[in-house]
Amino acid sequence: QLQLVESGGGLVQPGGSLRLSCVASGFTLDYYAIAWFRQAPGKEREGVSCISSSGGKTNYADSVKGRFTISRDNAKNTVFLQTKSLKPEDTGVYYCAARESLFEDISLTEYEYDYWGQGTQVTVSS
């Protein structure tokens, strides 16, 4: 059974940081592009960051550029999202998603992703 499990969320003060993890089971991530999405209360889900299957290409939403870093360790079947300088508007449920990708293409388009985790809550508040 293909499964993605996120962890690392929590309550953090503005300016703080969190490291989110996304672990895959039931399949190897080597040939999958991965993205992080988030959904704030009352808002639509939005793309945050994505990374190609090899890790050679990355992309970020303008709202997180310079503050978030996506990376992957295919040997551990894990993708990370390092966040820093967190703001209250970063609050939401963060989801990782996977799609098969053989050509190093990356995307923050939600419908292109086939597998989703259950999400991890990030709350930025003083």
Side-chain angles (χ1 to χ4, degrees):
Q1 182 179 0
L2 306 181
Q3 192 173 14
L4 296 170
V5 178
E6 303 95 334
S7 63
L11 173 64
V12 62
Q13 292 186 342
S17 61
L18 288 172
R19 190 192 197 202
L20 307 184
S21 299
C22 171
V23 180
S25 62
F27 67 110
T28 176
L29 285 181
D30 290 31
Y31 302 107
Y32 287 80
I34 304 297
W36 286 92
F37 294 83
R38 68 185 180 189
Q39 188 166 22
K43 295 187 177 181
E44 293 186 353
R45 191 155 54 186
E46 63 173 348
V48 174
S49 181
C50 56
I51 188 167
S52 62
S53 55
S54 74
K57 294 183 180 178
T58 60
N59 193 23
Y60 299 89
D62 289 343
S63 58
V64 306
K65 279 181 181 176
R67 300 187 300 120
F68 289 13
T69 303
I70 191 170
S71 63
R72 64 192 296 158
D73 185 342
N74 284 354
K76 295 183 179 180
N77 236 23
T78 304
V79 175
F80 304 98
L81 186 68
Q82 179 68 53
T83 70
K84 66 178 183 179
S85 303
L86 284 165
K87 305 174 182 179
E89 50 264 44
D90 294 317
T91 294
V93 179
Y94 282 68
Y95 301 89
C96 67
R99 65 184 186 98
E100 194 168 4
S101 172
L102 301 179
F103 302 107
E104 286 288 285
D105 54 317
I106 54 176
S107 170
L108 281 175
T109 302
E110 186 174 339
Y111 70 78
E112 294 185 9
Y113 287 83
D114 302 309
Y115 307 104
W116 291 79
Q118 83 292 345
T120 184
Q121 176 70 46
V122 171
T123 303
V124 185
S125 175
S126 55

